[in-house]
Amino acid sequence: MVVAAGVRKSYGRMEVLAGIDLTVRRGQVMCIIGPSGSGKSTFLRCINHLEKIDAGRLYVDGELVGYEQRGGKIYELSDRAVCEKRASIGMVFQRFNLFPHMTVLDNVMAGPLRVKKQSNEVARSRGLKLLDQVGLKDKVSTYPNQLSGGQQQRVAIARALAMEPKLMLFDEPTSALDPELVGDVLDVMRDLAHQGMTMVVVTHEMGFAREVADSVVFMDQGVIVESGEPGQVLTDPTHQRTRAFLSKVL
Amino acid sequence: MAAPSEESEFDPAIDSIKAVPVRHPLRWVMSVVVVVLVAMLVNTLVFSHITRDGQVEPRYQWGIIGHYFASPSVLRGLVVTIELTVIAMAIGIVLGIVLAVMRLSASPLVSGFSFLYVWFFRGTPVLVQLLFWYEISYNYHRFSLGVPFGPSFVHVDANTFVTAFVAAIFGLGLNEAAYMAEIVRAGLQSVDHGQTEAAQSLGMSRLMTIRRIVLPQAMRLIVPPMGNETISMLKTTSLASVVTVTELLLAVENIYDRTYQTVPLLMVASIWYLILTSVLTVGQYYVERRFARGAARSLPPTPWQRVRRNLFPAHVAPAQVVARDG
């Protein structure tokens, strides 16, 4: 589903991604862990072209992200084509980024209504179903700032799912939450994984990674230091840097 | 009163504090000063007299003011003032939003154009701009639409197209757009970038993101200064009298040119401006309330709700004090 080959990205002279190679298969859950500033969020944002990569190749579903290859030449995709591709990739942010001027249901309906041009009834019934699924059926007509962080993040997940994405990206979805609210969000994500959603999750929740992930990637200073099955990477890391990081967070 | 003993149980109903309030002497002095000033104002406005040309007359001629207040020519001027305000503000807001979005464009040419527009229209007095549009036929006998340096297709005669009213609309509206552009730009930039990213991750285009996500949130910051601009515009329309648009000010000028009752008629105009400003202020309040959705946990009260709350305040619970012995 996601294939990265030598992906590089720098801001000015600061190299944030120094050659990333990885593969996420359909239906797989990949957790990316690592210290802050290691480039994991940046890489995630490259996958739906919120950031442009400078070098290497990044494919989603077999197609280049943000570009198009025709006859040996690479063309930048039009804004419209980029939007179309983004519509099939859900993203959940650390700071939720719900639309504060819309009710919970309107937040969830915004994508289907405006981007997919679905009818009001279709978008509404699907929105209600998704909010039920994340346990927020009774909050449909409240505004985001009346919800707890955990509830907001679950709305954000429902909003992303409303677009019926083939891939979900989670950028530290529980890092801004009070500890007792983390569990509800992780439950929703766990359900999603069990339903076979392909997910790339940047997280500090080692328990979640161990339990749900099919593979874990440890990034540091813009490179993948180590990757493999969660049991191996998290309990028996081969690399010194991984061991040092894990000893700090576990 | 003896300090409560260790055993005594605290009963808020009995022990609620009935303290002697602190005195505020300065507040009292200021209140007296204000009352005296108001009394002086009422006296000079209503009761005092003055000798003009050997005749003792009321200082303010309320009779004359009342006579002309709702006269047909004044009302016609009032309508023109309202028309000018509405149309110029509409142009200002629409063009202002366009200019603000252009200013934030990635193209330096597009954003540069917006910058130059604001620079020019904010950099010259609006009265000069009004006069310029009024005198447009000095530079342009007719307006043509076509290819630059090439053929043109549509022609309009400048003098028939740009009447005094149209000149005033152009002058006021285009000038307003420059100010609105800056207000809208500030509003757009105040919205957290995460909102744009969230909208884009749903697949929304740049323009749709601005229209559906960023602008509605920016409105909360845009509306208060926009209300200011509207109130300011209402009064700036009086400049249109210079280019012979018979709005409120020129309407009363036309009357006092005839009757020499200059001051009473200027008061007629002033009272109308005050009334319109008051109406706009109330309107602004409700528009602000509309765009506050989702920003505050509860909407602010309407003025009417506030009046009721002040007249019938809820009972204040007695202060509770926890007695504690050292």
Side-chain angles (χ1 to χ4, degrees), chain A residues 199-220:
Chain A
M199 294 160 61
V200 181
V201 186
V202 171
T203 187
H204 293 294
E205 295 291 331
M206 297 305 155
F208 176 81
R210 191 186 313 251
E211 185 199 338
V212 180
D214 298 293
S215 60
V216 171
V217 168
F218 173 70
M219 274 179 74
D220 193 14

PDB file of all heavy atoms in Angstrom, chain A residues 199-220:
ATOM      1  N   MET A 199      -2.934   0.990   8.287  1.00  0.00           N
ATOM      2  CA  MET A 199      -2.675   2.144   9.147  1.00  0.00           C
ATOM      3  C   MET A 199      -1.182   2.382   9.318  1.00  0.00           C
ATOM      4  O   MET A 199      -0.416   1.439   9.487  1.00  0.00           O
ATOM      5  CB  MET A 199      -3.303   1.923  10.542  1.00  0.00           C
ATOM      6  CG  MET A 199      -4.823   1.864  10.523  1.00  0.00           C
ATOM      7  SD  MET A 199      -5.566   1.071  11.975  1.00  0.00           S
ATOM      8  CE  MET A 199      -5.042   2.103  13.308  1.00  0.00           C
ATOM      9  N   VAL A 200      -0.799   3.654   9.270  1.00  0.00           N
ATOM     10  CA  VAL A 200       0.558   4.036   9.662  1.00  0.00           C
ATOM     11  C   VAL A 200       0.405   4.955  10.866  1.00  0.00           C
ATOM     12  O   VAL A 200      -0.260   5.994  10.783  1.00  0.00           O
ATOM     13  CB  VAL A 200       1.303   4.764   8.522  1.00  0.00           C
ATOM     14  CG1 VAL A 200       2.719   5.117   8.969  1.00  0.00           C
ATOM     15  CG2 VAL A 200       1.329   3.918   7.268  1.00  0.00           C
ATOM     16  N   VAL A 201       0.982   4.571  11.980  1.00  0.00           N
ATOM     17  CA  VAL A 201       0.753   5.268  13.242  1.00  0.00           C
ATOM     18  C   VAL A 201       2.076   5.734  13.827  1.00  0.00           C
ATOM     19  O   VAL A 201       2.940   4.921  14.149  1.00  0.00           O
ATOM     20  CB  VAL A 201       0.045   4.336  14.260  1.00  0.00           C
ATOM     21  CG1 VAL A 201      -0.319   5.118  15.521  1.00  0.00           C
ATOM     22  CG2 VAL A 201      -1.193   3.695  13.652  1.00  0.00           C
ATOM     23  N   VAL A 202       2.222   7.066  13.928  1.00  0.00           N
ATOM     24  CA  VAL A 202       3.353   7.604  14.677  1.00  0.00           C
ATOM     25  C   VAL A 202       2.904   7.697  16.121  1.00  0.00           C
ATOM     26  O   VAL A 202       1.886   8.331  16.418  1.00  0.00           O
ATOM     27  CB  VAL A 202       3.751   8.998  14.152  1.00  0.00           C
ATOM     28  CG1 VAL A 202       4.784   9.642  15.076  1.00  0.00           C
ATOM     29  CG2 VAL A 202       4.306   8.890  12.747  1.00  0.00           C
ATOM     30  N   THR A 203       3.589   7.042  17.019  1.00  0.00           N
ATOM     31  CA  THR A 203       3.072   6.980  18.387  1.00  0.00           C
ATOM     32  C   THR A 203       4.175   6.791  19.415  1.00  0.00           C
ATOM     33  O   THR A 203       5.304   6.402  19.093  1.00  0.00           O
ATOM     34  CB  THR A 203       2.056   5.821  18.516  1.00  0.00           C
ATOM     35  OG1 THR A 203       1.453   5.896  19.798  1.00  0.00           O
ATOM     36  CG2 THR A 203       2.711   4.472  18.347  1.00  0.00           C
ATOM     37  N   HIS A 204       3.824   7.123  20.645  1.00  0.00           N
ATOM     38  CA  HIS A 204       4.689   6.821  21.779  1.00  0.00           C
ATOM     39  C   HIS A 204       4.066   5.743  22.651  1.00  0.00           C
ATOM     40  O   HIS A 204       4.581   5.442  23.721  1.00  0.00           O
ATOM     41  CB  HIS A 204       4.929   8.086  22.606  1.00  0.00           C
ATOM     42  CG  HIS A 204       5.720   9.124  21.879  1.00  0.00           C
ATOM     43  ND1 HIS A 204       7.034   8.941  21.529  1.00  0.00           N
ATOM     44  CD2 HIS A 204       5.384  10.345  21.422  1.00  0.00           C
ATOM     45  CE1 HIS A 204       7.461  10.013  20.891  1.00  0.00           C
ATOM     46  NE2 HIS A 204       6.483  10.876  20.801  1.00  0.00           N
ATOM     47  N   GLU A 205       2.915   5.197  22.205  1.00  0.00           N
ATOM     48  CA  GLU A 205       2.233   4.177  22.991  1.00  0.00           C
ATOM     49  C   GLU A 205       2.823   2.806  22.661  1.00  0.00           C
ATOM     50  O   GLU A 205       2.402   2.130  21.726  1.00  0.00           O
ATOM     51  CB  GLU A 205       0.723   4.194  22.672  1.00  0.00           C
ATOM     52  CG  GLU A 205       0.027   5.461  23.094  1.00  0.00           C
ATOM     53  CD  GLU A 205      -0.052   5.604  24.602  1.00  0.00           C
ATOM     54  OE1 GLU A 205      -0.097   4.563  25.304  1.00  0.00           O
ATOM     55  OE2 GLU A 205      -0.049   6.754  25.083  1.00  0.00           O
ATOM     56  N   MET A 206       3.823   2.409  23.445  1.00  0.00           N
ATOM     57  CA  MET A 206       4.518   1.159  23.135  1.00  0.00           C
ATOM     58  C   MET A 206       3.606  -0.054  23.320  1.00  0.00           C
ATOM     59  O   MET A 206       3.691  -1.028  22.589  1.00  0.00           O
ATOM     60  CB  MET A 206       5.744   1.023  24.036  1.00  0.00           C
ATOM     61  CG  MET A 206       6.758   2.121  23.810  1.00  0.00           C
ATOM     62  SD  MET A 206       7.253   2.242  22.086  1.00  0.00           S
ATOM     63  CE  MET A 206       7.769   3.938  22.014  1.00  0.00           C
ATOM     64  N   GLY A 207       2.703   0.049  24.308  1.00  0.00           N
ATOM     65  CA  GLY A 207       1.776  -1.058  24.538  1.00  0.00           C
ATOM     66  C   GLY A 207       0.903  -1.288  23.319  1.00  0.00           C
ATOM     67  O   GLY A 207       0.702  -2.430  22.874  1.00  0.00           O
ATOM     68  N   PHE A 208       0.400  -0.190  22.746  1.00  0.00           N
ATOM     69  CA  PHE A 208      -0.431  -0.289  21.552  1.00  0.00           C
ATOM     70  C   PHE A 208       0.361  -0.883  20.399  1.00  0.00           C
ATOM     71  O   PHE A 208      -0.104  -1.774  19.684  1.00  0.00           O
ATOM     72  CB  PHE A 208      -0.957   1.107  21.187  1.00  0.00           C
ATOM     73  CG  PHE A 208      -1.755   1.149  19.910  1.00  0.00           C
ATOM     74  CD1 PHE A 208      -3.085   0.781  19.906  1.00  0.00           C
ATOM     75  CD2 PHE A 208      -1.162   1.550  18.723  1.00  0.00           C
ATOM     76  CE1 PHE A 208      -3.824   0.821  18.736  1.00  0.00           C
ATOM     77  CE2 PHE A 208      -1.892   1.581  17.549  1.00  0.00           C
ATOM     78  CZ  PHE A 208      -3.225   1.220  17.556  1.00  0.00           C
ATOM     79  N   ALA A 209       1.591  -0.385  20.227  1.00  0.00           N
ATOM     80  CA  ALA A 209       2.437  -0.871  19.139  1.00  0.00           C
ATOM     81  C   ALA A 209       2.672  -2.378  19.284  1.00  0.00           C
ATOM     82  O   ALA A 209       2.555  -3.141  18.320  1.00  0.00           O
ATOM     83  CB  ALA A 209       3.778  -0.127  19.144  1.00  0.00           C
ATOM     84  N   ARG A 210       2.974  -2.788  20.499  1.00  0.00           N
ATOM     85  CA  ARG A 210       3.262  -4.193  20.744  1.00  0.00           C
ATOM     86  C   ARG A 210       2.043  -5.068  20.413  1.00  0.00           C
ATOM     87  O   ARG A 210       2.163  -6.129  19.808  1.00  0.00           O
ATOM     88  CB  ARG A 210       3.634  -4.376  22.219  1.00  0.00           C
ATOM     89  CG  ARG A 210       4.212  -5.731  22.580  1.00  0.00           C
ATOM     90  CD  ARG A 210       4.385  -5.809  24.084  1.00  0.00           C
ATOM     91  NE  ARG A 210       5.039  -4.577  24.574  1.00  0.00           N
ATOM     92  CZ  ARG A 210       6.283  -4.539  25.023  1.00  0.00           C
ATOM     93  NH1 ARG A 210       7.003  -5.625  25.042  1.00  0.00           N
ATOM     94  NH2 ARG A 210       6.801  -3.424  25.459  1.00  0.00           N
ATOM     95  N   GLU A 211       0.872  -4.556  20.795  1.00  0.00           N
ATOM     96  CA  GLU A 211      -0.329  -5.377  20.688  1.00  0.00           C
ATOM     97  C   GLU A 211      -0.909  -5.376  19.273  1.00  0.00           C
ATOM     98  O   GLU A 211      -1.336  -6.408  18.768  1.00  0.00           O
ATOM     99  CB  GLU A 211      -1.373  -4.845  21.679  1.00  0.00           C
ATOM    100  CG  GLU A 211      -2.631  -5.679  21.761  1.00  0.00           C
ATOM    101  CD  GLU A 211      -3.763  -4.888  22.378  1.00  0.00           C
ATOM    102  OE1 GLU A 211      -3.490  -3.898  23.100  1.00  0.00           O
ATOM    103  OE2 GLU A 211      -4.926  -5.244  22.136  1.00  0.00           O
ATOM    104  N   VAL A 212      -0.947  -4.206  18.638  1.00  0.00           N
ATOM    105  CA  VAL A 212      -1.712  -4.057  17.398  1.00  0.00           C
ATOM    106  C   VAL A 212      -0.839  -4.092  16.150  1.00  0.00           C
ATOM    107  O   VAL A 212      -1.258  -4.607  15.115  1.00  0.00           O
ATOM    108  CB  VAL A 212      -2.541  -2.748  17.437  1.00  0.00           C
ATOM    109  CG1 VAL A 212      -3.329  -2.583  16.162  1.00  0.00           C
ATOM    110  CG2 VAL A 212      -3.469  -2.752  18.648  1.00  0.00           C
ATOM    111  N   ALA A 213       0.379  -3.564  16.243  1.00  0.00           N
ATOM    112  CA  ALA A 213       1.174  -3.375  15.030  1.00  0.00           C
ATOM    113  C   ALA A 213       1.625  -4.705  14.430  1.00  0.00           C
ATOM    114  O   ALA A 213       1.880  -5.674  15.150  1.00  0.00           O
ATOM    115  CB  ALA A 213       2.391  -2.508  15.342  1.00  0.00           C
ATOM    116  N   ASP A 214       1.674  -4.726  13.094  1.00  0.00           N
ATOM    117  CA  ASP A 214       2.279  -5.855  12.409  1.00  0.00           C
ATOM    118  C   ASP A 214       3.774  -5.641  12.283  1.00  0.00           C
ATOM    119  O   ASP A 214       4.540  -6.589  12.228  1.00  0.00           O
ATOM    120  CB  ASP A 214       1.662  -6.014  11.018  1.00  0.00           C
ATOM    121  CG  ASP A 214       0.177  -6.313  11.127  1.00  0.00           C
ATOM    122  OD1 ASP A 214      -0.179  -7.387  11.614  1.00  0.00           O
ATOM    123  OD2 ASP A 214      -0.628  -5.430  10.746  1.00  0.00           O
ATOM    124  N   SER A 215       4.143  -4.346  12.181  1.00  0.00           N
ATOM    125  CA  SER A 215       5.573  -4.060  12.149  1.00  0.00           C
ATOM    126  C   SER A 215       5.830  -2.743  12.863  1.00  0.00           C
ATOM    127  O   SER A 215       4.965  -1.867  12.908  1.00  0.00           O
ATOM    128  CB  SER A 215       6.084  -3.983  10.696  1.00  0.00           C
ATOM    129  OG  SER A 215       5.404  -2.951  10.028  1.00  0.00           O
ATOM    130  N   VAL A 216       7.009  -2.626  13.418  1.00  0.00           N
ATOM    131  CA  VAL A 216       7.400  -1.416  14.134  1.00  0.00           C
ATOM    132  C   VAL A 216       8.677  -0.891  13.501  1.00  0.00           C
ATOM    133  O   VAL A 216       9.584  -1.665  13.162  1.00  0.00           O
ATOM    134  CB  VAL A 216       7.623  -1.698  15.637  1.00  0.00           C
ATOM    135  CG1 VAL A 216       8.245  -0.481  16.323  1.00  0.00           C
ATOM    136  CG2 VAL A 216       6.326  -2.072  16.318  1.00  0.00           C
ATOM    137  N   VAL A 217       8.698   0.433  13.321  1.00  0.00           N
ATOM    138  CA  VAL A 217       9.875   1.068  12.737  1.00  0.00           C
ATOM    139  C   VAL A 217      10.420   2.051  13.746  1.00  0.00           C
ATOM    140  O   VAL A 217       9.674   2.859  14.294  1.00  0.00           O
ATOM    141  CB  VAL A 217       9.489   1.812  11.430  1.00  0.00           C
ATOM    142  CG1 VAL A 217      10.628   2.714  10.983  1.00  0.00           C
ATOM    143  CG2 VAL A 217       9.130   0.833  10.340  1.00  0.00           C
ATOM    144  N   PHE A 218      11.699   1.961  14.030  1.00  0.00           N
ATOM    145  CA  PHE A 218      12.323   2.934  14.920  1.00  0.00           C
ATOM    146  C   PHE A 218      13.148   3.908  14.090  1.00  0.00           C
ATOM    147  O   PHE A 218      14.055   3.511  13.366  1.00  0.00           O
ATOM    148  CB  PHE A 218      13.217   2.237  15.956  1.00  0.00           C
ATOM    149  CG  PHE A 218      14.000   3.203  16.786  1.00  0.00           C
ATOM    150  CD1 PHE A 218      13.363   4.014  17.722  1.00  0.00           C
ATOM    151  CD2 PHE A 218      15.371   3.330  16.631  1.00  0.00           C
ATOM    152  CE1 PHE A 218      14.087   4.922  18.483  1.00  0.00           C
ATOM    153  CE2 PHE A 218      16.099   4.244  17.393  1.00  0.00           C
ATOM    154  CZ  PHE A 218      15.463   5.032  18.321  1.00  0.00           C
ATOM    155  N   MET A 219      12.773   5.186  14.184  1.00  0.00           N
ATOM    156  CA  MET A 219      13.478   6.213  13.417  1.00  0.00           C
ATOM    157  C   MET A 219      14.281   7.102  14.344  1.00  0.00           C
ATOM    158  O   MET A 219      13.858   7.409  15.461  1.00  0.00           O
ATOM    159  CB  MET A 219      12.468   7.096  12.656  1.00  0.00           C
ATOM    160  CG  MET A 219      12.048   6.546  11.309  1.00  0.00           C
ATOM    161  SD  MET A 219      10.854   7.640  10.500  1.00  0.00           S
ATOM    162  CE  MET A 219      11.930   8.973   9.997  1.00  0.00           C
ATOM    163  N   ASP A 220      15.431   7.529  13.847  1.00  0.00           N
ATOM    164  CA  ASP A 220      16.227   8.498  14.594  1.00  0.00           C
ATOM    165  C   ASP A 220      17.035   9.309  13.595  1.00  0.00           C
ATOM    166  O   ASP A 220      17.641   8.750  12.673  1.00  0.00           O
ATOM    167  CB  ASP A 220      17.143   7.783  15.595  1.00  0.00           C
ATOM    168  CG  ASP A 220      17.747   8.759  16.606  1.00  0.00           C
ATOM    169  OD1 ASP A 220      17.257   9.907  16.685  1.00  0.00           O
ATOM    170  OD2 ASP A 220      18.694   8.363  17.302  1.00  0.00           O
TER     171      ASP A 220
END
